[in-house]
């Protein structure tokens, strides 16, 4: 039985060795979902099914697992708490940035863009993941799914991020939830096409789309240059 499943049953934390610098005893989303499935005595869910549950926050993820695995609604608080406890113990395990992300963030930051993160992932593990890959110095603000009473696609988190960055800006995302959030916030949207998106690119409202982060600085420069010519300069300095 997986260690995290034993921990859920007994209500005890997992062990983390060597200050988190080793692979053993870490957990990640697929393992956590498998553990919840084992508690319900149902077969583990396929990876594709798990991926389809992601993007709406932990509470929705756990809810969809429960519905698939046959848990009672009353189990939701307990399983959500257990999921978070084990996930937050090692949120970056098996996580890898997309190619060229670090170089792109460095280029945007170096060009004077103020960068923020608006995610449905809880704020603490979001910051831990950024720190694990030394990306946190690039971000002036992090708004997580638990930072406000609402989460995406409600626009409050994105608007808060823009406010903390100093004004309006461009939102970069990879999913239907992100596109809807930008639309509801009245913000321009750049769509990364290689993420959690299930809808065809042409069916999502966006100002531009890209498949490689290496192209993003030039695309942003062009977007803000056009915005300056047609809409003024307010949006030039902020990227959310």
């Amino acid at each position: 039985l997986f260690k995290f499943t034993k921990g859920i049953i007994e209500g005890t934390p997992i062990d983390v060795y060597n200050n988190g610098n080793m692979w053993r005893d870490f957990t990640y989303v697929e393992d956590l979902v498998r553990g919840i499935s084992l508690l319900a005595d149902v077969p583990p869910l396929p990876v594709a099914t798990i991926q389809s549950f992601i993007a709406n926050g932990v509470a929705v993820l756990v809810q969809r697992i429960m519905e698939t695995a046959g848990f009672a609604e009353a189990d939701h608080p307990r399983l959500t708490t257990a999921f978070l406890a084990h996930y937050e113990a090692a949120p970056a395990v098996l996580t890898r940035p997309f190619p060229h992300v670090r170089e792109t963030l460095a280029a945007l930051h170096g060009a004077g863009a103020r960068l923020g993160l608006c995610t449905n992932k809880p704020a603490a593990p979001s910051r831990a993941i950024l720190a694990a890959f030394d990306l946190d110095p690039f971000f002036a603000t992090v708004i997580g799914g638990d930072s406000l009473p609402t989460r995406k696609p409600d626009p409050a988190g994105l608007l808060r991020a823009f406010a903390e960055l100093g004004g309006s800006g461009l939102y970069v995302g990879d999913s239907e939830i992100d596109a809807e959030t930008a639309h509801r916030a009245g913000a321009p949207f750049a769509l990364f096409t290689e993420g959690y998106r299930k809808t065809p690119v042409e069916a999502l409202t966006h100002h531009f789309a890209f498949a490689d982060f290496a192209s993003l600085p030039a695309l942003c420069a062009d977007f803000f240059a056009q915005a300056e010519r047609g809409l003024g300069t307010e949006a030039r300095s902020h990227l959310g």
Side-chain angles (χ1 to χ4, degrees), residues 202-229:
E202 59 272 15
L204 295 177
T205 300
H206 60 280
H207 287 72
F208 63 84
F210 65 101
D212 186 343
F213 275 95
S215 66
L216 186 57
L219 290 168
C220 288
D222 182 64
F223 170 82
F224 285 119
Q226 292 185 39
E228 181 177 4
R229 288 195 298 270

Side-chain angles (χ1 to χ4, degrees), residues 104-174:
T104 293
L105 292 174
L108 292 169
H109 188 266
R114 287 177 55 78
L115 308 178
L117 177 63
C118 178
T119 175
N120 277 342
K121 189 187 299 294
S126 297
R127 292 190 179 94
I129 291 169
L130 292 176
F133 297 102
D134 197 28
L135 300 178
D136 50 324
F138 298 126
F139 290 89
T141 188
V142 174
I143 304 297
D146 57 353
S147 297
L148 299 173
T150 59
R151 60 179 182 273
K152 299 184 301 183
D154 187 287
L158 180 58
L159 294 173
R160 169 71 69 84
F162 281 143
E164 293 187 4
L165 293 173
S168 58
L170 173 69
Y171 184 42
V172 178
D174 68 353

Side-chain angles (χ1 to χ4, degrees), residues 31-120:
D31 266 350
L32 288 166
V33 174
R34 188 177 303 166
I36 293 175
S37 300
L38 286 173
L39 287 176
D41 195 25
V42 299
L45 301 179
V47 173
T49 300
I50 297 168
Q51 290 177 338
S52 74
F53 294 164
I54 295 173
N56 292 275
V58 170
V60 174
L61 171 64
V62 173
Q63 182 67 43
R64 291 175 176 173
I65 296 166
M66 289 173 53
E67 291 169 356
T68 303
F71 276 95
E73 183 64 31
D75 290 320
H76 189 269
R78 175 177 66 87
L79 292 177
T80 300
T81 298
F83 183 101
L84 285 171
H86 291 279
Y87 179 65
E88 290 177 354
V93 79
L94 297 188
T95 298
R96 296 293 180 269
F98 280 101
H100 307 125
V101 162
R102 181 173 182 80
E103 299 91 333
T104 293
L105 292 174
L108 292 169
H109 188 266
R114 287 177 55 78
L115 308 178
L117 177 63
C118 178
T119 175
N120 277 342

